[in-house]
Amino acid sequence: MKVLKFGGTSVGTVASLRNVKKIVDGLPEPAVIVVSALGGLTDQLISTARMAAENAFEYRNVMKEIRERHLRIVDEMIPENRRVRVWEAVSILLGDLENLYTGISLIRDVPEKTLAAIVSYGERMSSIIVAGMLENADHYDSLDIVRTEKWFERNIADRALTDKRIKETFELPLARHAVMGGFISTDRNSGEITNLGRGGSDYTAALVAAALNAGELEIWTDVDGFLTTDPRIIPDARIIDSMTFIESMELCNFGAKVIYPPTIYPVFHKNIPIKILNTFNSTAPGTLISDHISESARVCGISMVNNMAIISIEGKLTSNVAEINSRAYNVMARHGISVAVVCQPMDNATFMLSLSGADSDKAVSLLQADFMPEISAGTVSEISLRKEQSLIAVVGEGIKQLKGLGARLTNTLERNGIEVRALSDGPSETTIAIAVDTDVAKKALSLVHSSCFN
Ligand code: ADP
Ligand code: ASP
Ligand code: MG
């Protein structure tokens, strides 16, 4: 049994939905189909909420557009015998959505909870439409299946409870296709609507695949596979035929948008292969992500993440680098801040860590408090912050065997006038991370990409 996930562009238009139908109709056996909201709708639902809060009546026009877009798709895609039933179900949701917007325009505020409820309508409607469009499919309500819990300010999947709910919901072998919305969930305690984070439909599909021990997870999107880097920045990026779970995890953690990062872990754990496939070119082989490691070390791909910061801890660190490392990590972990990379000092004088720019002011205050004794004693002379950084991650199993790669890339960048702010060539076996100023990051990515792949 397979789990297939179709992203927003795959379910965005009548033409793309026809492709989806063809792909699902061609399956040899029933599958679980996880779908995103119609392409662009989640952004539109959010911006419309802001519009309504400013009491701009424009929101009513957008609501009309949203209604018409769904109606048109229902009209074109749902066979006549089911059309009225599907349209009624979608209409009820559209009515509820409009009421929420009216409420917002009256109170002139968008509480977080209301925004979470609003964005849920995207996947609730698209999943009903896709289930109705297929001949042999039942619709399942993800709000009854996927449960989240609070983790600091975020909602994260409650894996155990969600696993249990998935197993209770789907009886194997499936008699018919099962269609559900991705991304959306409910809080396990309050029952309020939540979600798994932007791009989270991939993760829903992985949770289902893992719970049901699926044979494969297919992520259907709008490119021919996982590419050597972001094709929107580097148009000549190439398709990667196959890669390991770890490689995909590293590339996605460092910004490759093609899969939502938490997705890989549940399937990796169960050794369920992932395929990245193109809804608009369904015969292309795509990319296979599995536990198979290619024989020779190679650079698999390169990704880039913006809005990062570097914190440097400077001083006479010679004797206690390991301690500083673990203390810095622990302080961050206790406050729910994740550290992207650590750069061990070559000169034993500057220890650097890189993390999200949004967390960086708080992180500096926390580090200053924690290292107060060393600051007083003079072993730490300064804790400084550099914002507007981009991290370029060069990823490949066994990359450390490619001796001198870090130095070669640093040279290439510096020869082209780009200063490398930090280089993490140490702890991870699969990744070399290079920090550069964001205003030169695209140029840096292009240089690193051509240096690795030409
Ligand atoms: P979906 O709506 O199907 O979830 P996304 O927009 O989330 O699609 O992800 C697919 C997009 O990710 C592609 O259109 C591509 O522009 C972008 N992308 C960024 N980095 C990569 C990469 N390394 N390989 C493939 N696609 C990438
Ligand atoms: N519709 C959601 C989003 O746009 C989830 C997803 O597409 O994966 O973020
Ligand atoms: Mg996506």
Side-chain angles (χ1 to χ4, degrees):
M1 194 274 296
K2 284 190 207 175
V3 176
L4 284 73
K5 177 261 170 176
F6 291 94
T9 44
S10 303
V11 297
T13 62
V14 167
S16 64
L17 281 164
R18 291 213 169 100
N19 293 340
V20 171
K21 184 164 160 46
K22 214 188 278 169
I23 292 161
V24 176
D25 285 347
L27 293 172
E29 58 173 11
V32 180
I33 318 289
V34 176
V35 294
S36 293
L38 306 192
L41 189 71
T42 309
D43 284 332
Q44 195 178 30
L45 290 171
I46 295 168
S47 61
T48 309
R50 312 240 183 267
M51 235 181 241
E54 284 159 17
N55 204 18
F57 278 104
E58 180 62 17
Y59 84 83
R60 293 197 183 152
N61 297 336
V62 183
M63 195 57 228
K64 196 164 156 246
E65 251 174 56
I66 293 174
R67 187 182 293 278
E68 279 166 7
R69 183 177 178 198
H70 285 81
L71 177 58
R72 214 168 30 244
I73 287 178
V74 169
D75 257 353
E76 294 267 350
M77 293 307 301
I78 312 291
E80 219 177 322
N81 61 337
R82 296 193 289 273
R83 200 175 299 150
V84 172
R85 184 170 53 75
V86 169
W87 181 242
E88 278 172 2
V90 173
S91 281
I92 290 172
L93 293 173
L94 285 164
D96 291 350
L97 177 62
E98 184 145 25
N99 287 338
L100 284 174
Y101 283 137
T102 308
I104 288 173
S105 76
L106 292 173
I107 61 168
R108 305 231 173 158
D109 183 32
V110 200
E112 267 318 299
K113 287 178 193 171
T114 312
L115 192 61
I118 283 176
V119 293
S120 76
Y121 284 87
E123 271 73 8
R124 288 157 83 182
M125 294 191 288
S126 65
S127 57
I128 290 174
I129 292 173
V130 171
M133 157 187 109
L134 299 168
E135 271 326 308
N136 183 27
D138 298 311
H139 177 257
Y140 291 81
D141 187 352
S142 303
L143 297 178
D144 282 341
I145 302 172
V146 183
R147 297 276 183 267
T148 58
E149 58 185 315
K150 277 259 171 277
W151 190 74
F152 295 91
E153 260 97 79
R154 293 170 45 209
N155 297 302
I156 58 164
D158 178 332
R159 285 291 312 276
L161 195 52
T162 303
D163 233 55
K164 180 165 165 278
R165 288 292 304 129
I166 293 168
K167 287 181 179 135
E168 285 166 357
T169 306
F170 300 104
E171 201 180 310
L172 295 182
L174 293 173
R176 290 155 60 82
H177 296 304
V179 181
M180 62 191 282
F183 174 61
I184 57 176
S185 47
T186 49
D187 182 86
R188 72 165 183 202
N189 297 314
S190 66
E192 278 158 357
I193 296 176
T194 56
N195 60 63
L196 302 174
R198 294 304 307 273
S201 295
D202 300 332
Y203 189 29
T204 306
L207 294 173
V208 175
L212 300 181
N213 290 314
E216 192 169 273
L217 168 62
E218 294 184 352
I219 308 273
W220 288 85
T221 183
D222 60 354
V223 281
D224 275 345
F226 211 125
L227 301 165
T228 48
T229 195
D230 188 338
R232 293 164 301 180
I233 305 176
I234 311 289
D236 60 356
R238 302 174 197 163
I239 297 155
I240 305 165
D241 299 333
S242 66
M243 63 205 297
T244 66
F245 290 114
I246 303 287
E247 287 170 334
S248 68
M249 222 182 276
E250 291 279 273
L251 285 167
C252 293
N253 279 332
F254 283 100
K257 197 198 167 200
V258 61
I259 318 176
Y260 184 54
T263 304
I264 300 146
Y265 187 76
V267 284
F268 166 50
H269 200 64
K270 290 273 184 93
N271 200 9
I272 298 168
I274 308 175
K275 260 196 193 147
I276 310 293
L277 295 158
N278 191 349
T279 306
F280 304 88
N281 183 17
S282 63
T283 52
T287 300
L288 174 67
I289 303 173
S290 72
D291 64 352
H292 177 75
I293 302 180
S294 68
E295 286 102 61
S296 52
R298 49 131 199 199
V299 174
C300 168
I302 300 164
S303 56
M304 181 164 85
V305 57
N306 296 324
N307 300 318
M308 300 299 286
I310 299 173
I311 297 176
S312 306
I313 304 176
E314 285 167 52
K316 300 186 209 81
L317 310 175
T318 325
S319 56
N320 54 1
V321 168
E323 187 204 324
I324 289 183
N325 187 346
S326 77
R327 263 171 63 194
Y329 247 104
N330 286 338
V331 180
M332 298 299 113
R334 277 202 303 279
H335 292 84
I337 297 176
S338 38
V339 176
V341 262
V342 172
C343 305
Q344 299 281 1
M346 302 278 242
D347 54 359
N348 286 323
T350 314
F351 173 81
M352 292 197 248
L353 43 102
S354 180
L355 38 73
S356 160
D359 293 330
S360 62
D361 289 319
K362 185 176 170 194
V364 169
S365 311
L366 291 167
L367 290 168
Q368 272 164 342
D370 200 77
F371 286 102
M372 193 47 84
E374 286 79 2
I375 293 171
S376 304
T379 40
V380 168
S381 56
E382 199 187 353
I383 298 182
S384 62
L385 174 62
R386 191 189 285 278
K387 290 191 181 176
E388 283 165 41
Q389 294 297 294
S390 297
L391 283 183
I392 295 173
V394 182
V395 175
E397 295 278 356
I399 202 173
K400 292 292 142 66
Q401 292 157 32
L402 305 174
K403 290 279 175 262
L405 179 62
R408 180 160 67 78
L409 295 175
T410 304
N411 267 336
T412 305
L413 291 172
E414 292 188 339
R415 254 198 339 270
N416 285 278
I418 294 174
E419 199 168 332
V420 171
R421 299 293 187 188
L423 173 75
S424 172
D425 197 356
S428 159
E429 278 306 307
T430 44
T431 301
I432 294 174
I434 301 166
V436 296
D437 294 346
T438 297
D439 58 359
V440 292
K442 284 186 182 170
K443 182 178 171 198
L445 179 65
S446 168
L447 287 163
V448 170
H449 188 264
S450 43
S451 169
C452 292
F453 292 105
N454 283 339

